[in-house]
Amino acid sequence: MADTFQSSQPIYLQLADRLNRQIVSGELKPGDKLPSVREMAVSSKVNPNTVQRTYRELEASGIVESRRGQGTFVTDNEDILFSTREKLKKDQIENFIQVMHDMGYENEEIQAGLRLYLEGGRSDD
């Protein structure tokens, strides 16, 4: 896990986002054990309290489960995993569209550019 963080967002939320992405991408699978708070703190070069807050945030969203004496695990709940995946997709699309609109592109231009890109073409031809 990379240890560079942006100052625009709290570190615990950035760690939570990274873990969510690893879960959604399948890098972390349902039932997988997350590193201990201490291990994650060392590998991410952050304070253990930050990791603890990250894990609490993920547990509150249901994406991970804390098992007393065993650690923190990725949920096996397919509904939660699906809704997390859909939320991340929606967030990325919203961010992309907002940036494109900020640059002055209209929806039709965005759609045409995406269509061309997804079909393997280049949008600058």
Side-chain angles (χ1 to χ4, degrees):
M1 184 174 292
D3 58 359
T4 57
F5 297 101
Q6 300 171 357
S7 60
S8 61
Q9 184 183 37
I11 292 172
Y12 81 96
L13 290 176
Q14 292 178 61
L15 279 174
D17 186 53
R18 288 179 188 176
L19 288 167
N20 273 326
R21 288 171 188 255
Q22 288 177 328
I23 292 166
V24 165
S25 73
E27 189 177 333
L28 287 171
K29 300 190 179 348
D32 279 358
K33 185 176 190 290
L34 297 183
S36 72
V37 169
R38 180 171 289 133
E39 291 168 343
M40 179 67 82
V42 169
S43 70
S44 301
K45 299 180 182 169
V46 298
N47 187 297
N49 293 332
T50 301
V51 176
Q52 186 64 47
R53 190 167 182 189
T54 299
Y55 283 9
R56 276 197 312 267
E57 183 79 14
L58 292 171
E59 190 170 6
S61 73
I63 194 88
V64 301
E65 304 165 350
S66 184
R67 300 179 193 158
R68 194 165 194 79
Q70 295 180 347
T72 304
F73 296 81
V74 177
T75 185
D76 289 323
N77 185 321
E78 293 295 328
D79 291 336
I80 290 173
L81 294 171
F82 178 79
S83 67
T84 299
R85 182 176 172 84
E86 289 300 302
K87 182 187 180 318
L88 286 175
K89 177 176 69 174
K90 181 178 178 279
D91 290 349
Q92 288 298 309
I93 291 169
E94 285 177 357
N95 183 56
F96 170 74
I97 296 299
Q98 184 61 54
V99 169
M100 295 301 286
H101 283 161
D102 289 349
M103 291 191 308
Y105 288 96
E106 298 293 329
N107 287 346
E108 295 76 23
E109 293 175 289
I110 297 168
Q111 289 172 339
L114 281 172
R115 201 170 10 264
L116 185 60
Y117 179 82
L118 292 172
E119 291 169 357
R122 293 178 42 147
S123 60
D124 61 351
D125 287 343

